[in-house]
Amino acid sequence: MNHLDKDLQSIQETRELLRQAKQAQRTLAGMSQEQLDKITAAIAAAAGEHARRLADMAVEETGFGKKEDKELKNRFAATTLYEAIRDEKTHGILAENREKRTIDIGVPVGIVAGLVPSTNP
């Protein structure tokens, strides 16, 4: 019987997720703004479609919160937040200032990690 220490298992899972994220970064770097926009729209649509199920799962996993509140938060992120950012350019030349001789260029820069509260799975 193979019993892995939970800490060692989580470290290995993190390593695998980081490997996958680095591969995704390389793939995304070769995409156009239009391709990235389609991906973002699909993510937002899927999150909106599954907002209730994800809320139920969050409450079951964490033991915190109300399903209705989590569903509302999920819908806000999937629709309201998406609507606010969907037309923002994030890839390629974003801005050019000839006077200052600067160009802002959007590129995938790597993995972004953050600690989330225990109320979020």
Side-chain angles (χ1 to χ4, degrees):
M1 197 177 286
N2 186 5
H3 294 287
L4 267 177
D5 177 276
K6 286 187 186 264
D7 289 338
L8 292 176
Q9 185 176 359
S10 68
I11 290 169
Q12 186 57 41
E13 288 173 359
T14 301
R15 285 181 179 146
E16 177 58 21
L17 290 170
L18 289 170
R19 185 194 66 71
Q20 291 176 22
K22 287 176 184 176
Q23 177 59 45
Q25 177 188 358
R26 288 189 289 274
T27 301
L28 292 169
M31 291 185 173
S32 68
Q33 181 70 55
E34 293 76 26
Q35 290 171 308
L36 295 172
D37 289 345
K38 284 182 182 180
I39 291 169
T40 306
I43 290 169
E49 181 180 337
H50 298 287
R52 177 61 186 200
R53 186 172 71 84
L54 292 169
D56 292 347
M57 291 168 61
V59 171
E60 288 170 22
E61 182 175 323
T62 65
F64 293 111
K66 297 179 182 176
K67 292 178 180 183
E68 297 78 18
D69 293 343
K70 292 205 179 284
E71 180 181 4
L72 184 62
K73 181 180 75 169
N74 290 344
R75 290 196 186 285
F76 173 80
T79 55
T80 307
L81 182 60
Y82 171 69
E83 291 294 325
I85 67 166
R86 76 174 180 186
D87 294 326
E88 288 186 29
K89 189 168 181 179
T90 59
H91 187 71
I93 296 176
L94 306 178
E96 190 170 352
N97 186 324
R98 293 186 187 277
E99 185 178 301
K100 293 182 180 180
R101 297 176 25 187
T102 61
I103 299 174
D104 296 341
I105 302 173
V107 295
V109 295
I111 298 161
V112 177
L115 298 175
V116 295
S118 58
T119 57
N120 292 324

